[in-house]
Short mmCIF file of all heavy atoms in Angstrom, two decimals:
data_model
loop_
_atom_site.label_atom_id
_atom_site.label_comp_id
_atom_site.label_asym_id
_atom_site.label_seq_id
_atom_site.Cartn_x
_atom_site.Cartn_y
_atom_site.Cartn_z
N GLY D 217 11.77 -70.99 56.29
CA GLY D 217 10.55 -70.17 56.40
C GLY D 217 9.25 -71.00 56.24
O GLY D 217 8.28 -70.77 56.82
N LEU D 218 9.39 -71.87 55.22
CA LEU D 218 8.25 -72.64 54.82
C LEU D 218 7.96 -73.52 56.01
O LEU D 218 6.73 -73.80 56.31
CB LEU D 218 8.56 -73.55 53.57
CG LEU D 218 7.47 -74.44 52.99
CD1 LEU D 218 6.27 -73.39 52.56
CD2 LEU D 218 7.98 -75.16 51.85
N LEU D 219 8.90 -74.04 56.65
CA LEU D 219 8.64 -75.10 57.80
C LEU D 219 8.12 -74.28 59.00
O LEU D 219 7.26 -74.87 59.77
CB LEU D 219 9.96 -75.69 58.20
CG LEU D 219 10.56 -76.65 57.08
CD1 LEU D 219 11.98 -77.26 57.57
CD2 LEU D 219 9.59 -77.82 56.78
N LEU D 220 8.48 -73.05 59.19
CA LEU D 220 8.00 -72.25 60.40
C LEU D 220 6.81 -71.40 60.19
O LEU D 220 6.00 -71.25 61.09
CB LEU D 220 9.18 -71.37 60.99
CG LEU D 220 10.45 -72.18 61.51
CD1 LEU D 220 11.41 -71.22 61.98
CD2 LEU D 220 9.95 -73.16 62.64
N VAL D 221 6.70 -70.86 59.00
CA VAL D 221 5.59 -69.91 58.72
C VAL D 221 4.48 -70.52 57.82
O VAL D 221 3.35 -70.16 58.04
CB VAL D 221 6.17 -68.65 58.06
CG1 VAL D 221 5.11 -67.63 57.75
CG2 VAL D 221 7.33 -68.06 58.90
N GLY D 222 4.84 -71.50 56.96
CA GLY D 222 3.82 -71.88 56.03
C GLY D 222 3.46 -73.36 56.48
O GLY D 222 3.28 -74.29 55.53
N ARG D 223 3.33 -73.66 57.76
CA ARG D 223 3.00 -75.06 58.08
C ARG D 223 1.58 -75.66 57.76
O ARG D 223 1.37 -76.75 57.61
CB ARG D 223 3.22 -75.09 59.62
CG ARG D 223 4.64 -75.18 60.04
CD ARG D 223 4.81 -75.36 61.61
NE ARG D 223 4.28 -74.23 62.31
CZ ARG D 223 4.32 -74.02 63.51
NH1 ARG D 223 4.71 -74.96 64.34
NH2 ARG D 223 3.93 -72.86 64.20
N LYS D 224 0.63 -74.60 57.47
CA LYS D 224 -0.68 -75.01 57.04
C LYS D 224 -0.47 -75.47 55.52
O LYS D 224 0.11 -74.94 54.76
CB LYS D 224 -1.57 -73.85 57.08
CG LYS D 224 -2.06 -73.42 58.43
CD LYS D 224 -3.01 -72.29 58.43
CE LYS D 224 -3.43 -71.85 59.73
NZ LYS D 224 -4.36 -70.66 59.81
N LYS D 225 -1.06 -76.75 55.32
CA LYS D 225 -0.90 -77.37 54.00
C LYS D 225 0.49 -77.59 53.59
O LYS D 225 0.88 -77.27 52.45
CB LYS D 225 -1.64 -76.50 52.92
CG LYS D 225 -3.17 -76.42 53.28
CD LYS D 225 -3.95 -75.88 51.98
CE LYS D 225 -3.57 -74.44 51.68
NZ LYS D 225 -4.38 -73.84 50.54
N LEU D 226 1.26 -77.91 54.61
CA LEU D 226 2.71 -78.04 54.40
C LEU D 226 3.17 -78.90 53.17
O LEU D 226 4.03 -78.52 52.33
CB LEU D 226 3.52 -78.51 55.60
CG LEU D 226 5.05 -78.55 55.58
CD1 LEU D 226 5.63 -77.17 55.31
CD2 LEU D 226 5.63 -79.00 56.91
N LYS D 227 2.47 -80.10 53.10
CA LYS D 227 2.94 -80.98 52.04
C LYS D 227 2.59 -80.45 50.70
O LYS D 227 3.30 -80.55 49.74
CB LYS D 227 2.16 -82.32 52.26
CG LYS D 227 2.69 -83.27 53.45
CD LYS D 227 1.92 -84.49 53.50
CE LYS D 227 2.47 -85.31 54.49
NZ LYS D 227 1.84 -86.71 54.62
N TRP D 228 1.41 -79.81 50.60
CA TRP D 228 1.06 -79.30 49.34
C TRP D 228 1.95 -78.04 48.98
O TRP D 228 2.47 -77.91 47.82
CB TRP D 228 -0.42 -78.65 49.30
CG TRP D 228 -0.94 -78.13 48.08
CD1 TRP D 228 -1.48 -78.59 47.01
CD2 TRP D 228 -0.90 -76.64 47.90
NE1 TRP D 228 -1.69 -77.66 46.13
CE2 TRP D 228 -1.37 -76.51 46.48
CE3 TRP D 228 -0.41 -75.58 48.52
CZ2 TRP D 228 -1.48 -75.26 45.97
CZ3 TRP D 228 -0.51 -74.26 47.94
CH2 TRP D 228 -1.03 -74.10 46.60
N LYS D 229 2.31 -77.24 49.90
CA LYS D 229 3.14 -76.00 49.68
C LYS D 229 4.60 -76.52 49.32
O LYS D 229 5.29 -75.93 48.48
CB LYS D 229 3.23 -75.15 50.97
CG LYS D 229 1.98 -74.31 51.06
CD LYS D 229 2.04 -73.36 52.34
CE LYS D 229 0.84 -72.48 52.44
NZ LYS D 229 0.91 -71.54 53.60
N PHE D 230 5.04 -77.56 50.07
CA PHE D 230 6.40 -77.92 49.78
C PHE D 230 6.53 -78.64 48.26
O PHE D 230 7.56 -78.39 47.56
CB PHE D 230 6.89 -79.03 50.79
CG PHE D 230 8.31 -79.43 50.63
CD1 PHE D 230 9.22 -78.43 51.21
CD2 PHE D 230 8.78 -80.45 49.90
CE1 PHE D 230 10.65 -78.77 51.09
CE2 PHE D 230 10.15 -80.77 49.91
CZ PHE D 230 11.05 -79.98 50.42
N ALA D 231 5.58 -79.38 47.94
CA ALA D 231 5.46 -79.81 46.57
C ALA D 231 5.44 -78.64 45.47
O ALA D 231 6.19 -78.74 44.46
CB ALA D 231 4.26 -80.66 46.27
N ARG D 232 4.80 -77.66 45.83
CA ARG D 232 4.71 -76.54 44.87
C ARG D 232 5.98 -75.69 44.98
O ARG D 232 6.48 -75.05 43.94
CB ARG D 232 3.52 -75.49 45.25
CG ARG D 232 2.06 -76.15 45.37
CD ARG D 232 1.69 -76.60 44.00
NE ARG D 232 1.28 -75.41 43.16
CZ ARG D 232 0.86 -75.52 41.93
NH1 ARG D 232 0.80 -76.77 41.30
NH2 ARG D 232 0.57 -74.49 41.18
N PHE D 233 6.61 -75.66 46.13
CA PHE D 233 7.92 -74.99 46.28
C PHE D 233 8.93 -75.48 45.35
O PHE D 233 9.85 -74.69 44.99
CB PHE D 233 8.39 -75.13 47.87
CG PHE D 233 9.72 -74.64 48.06
CD1 PHE D 233 10.02 -73.29 48.21
CD2 PHE D 233 10.77 -75.54 48.06
CE1 PHE D 233 11.28 -72.82 48.46
CE2 PHE D 233 12.18 -75.05 48.32
CZ PHE D 233 12.33 -73.73 48.56
N LEU D 234 9.00 -76.81 45.08
CA LEU D 234 10.02 -77.28 44.22
C LEU D 234 10.04 -76.66 42.85
O LEU D 234 10.95 -76.78 42.07
CB LEU D 234 9.76 -78.85 44.01
CG LEU D 234 9.82 -79.64 45.29
CD1 LEU D 234 9.56 -81.16 45.03
CD2 LEU D 234 11.33 -79.56 45.95
N VAL D 235 8.88 -75.84 42.42
CA VAL D 235 8.84 -75.22 41.17
C VAL D 235 9.97 -74.11 41.13
O VAL D 235 10.52 -73.71 40.10
CB VAL D 235 7.54 -74.66 40.92
CG1 VAL D 235 7.52 -73.74 39.70
CG2 VAL D 235 6.50 -75.76 40.78
N ILE D 236 10.36 -73.62 42.34
CA ILE D 236 11.23 -72.41 42.47
C ILE D 236 12.62 -72.86 42.06
O ILE D 236 13.18 -72.19 41.19
CB ILE D 236 11.22 -71.88 43.91
CG1 ILE D 236 9.83 -71.29 44.16
CG2 ILE D 236 12.32 -70.80 44.04
CD1 ILE D 236 9.77 -70.65 45.69
N PRO D 237 13.17 -73.99 42.70
CA PRO D 237 14.52 -74.28 42.14
C PRO D 237 14.58 -74.81 40.65
O PRO D 237 15.57 -74.58 40.00
CB PRO D 237 15.08 -75.40 43.11
CG PRO D 237 13.78 -75.87 43.75
CD PRO D 237 12.87 -74.73 43.76
N LEU D 238 13.37 -75.31 40.22
CA LEU D 238 13.33 -75.80 38.86
C LEU D 238 13.46 -74.56 38.01
O LEU D 238 14.25 -74.58 36.96
CB LEU D 238 11.99 -76.63 38.59
CG LEU D 238 11.76 -76.94 37.23
CD1 LEU D 238 12.83 -78.03 36.72
CD2 LEU D 238 10.42 -77.69 37.03
N ILE D 239 12.65 -73.58 38.13
CA ILE D 239 12.66 -72.33 37.33
C ILE D 239 14.04 -71.72 37.43
O ILE D 239 14.70 -71.31 36.46
CB ILE D 239 11.55 -71.43 37.77
CG1 ILE D 239 10.24 -72.03 37.40
CG2 ILE D 239 11.73 -70.05 36.98
CD1 ILE D 239 9.01 -71.21 37.82
#
Side-chain angles (χ1 to χ4, degrees):
L218 186 62
L219 296 174
L220 294 182
V221 182
R223 285 181 292 180
K224 292 182 179 179
K225 301 190 294 183
L226 181 59
K227 289 185 179 179
W228 180 86
K229 285 183 177 178
F230 190 80
R232 305 292 288 177
F233 170 81
L234 296 178
V235 173
I236 294 175
L238 176 62
I239 294 175

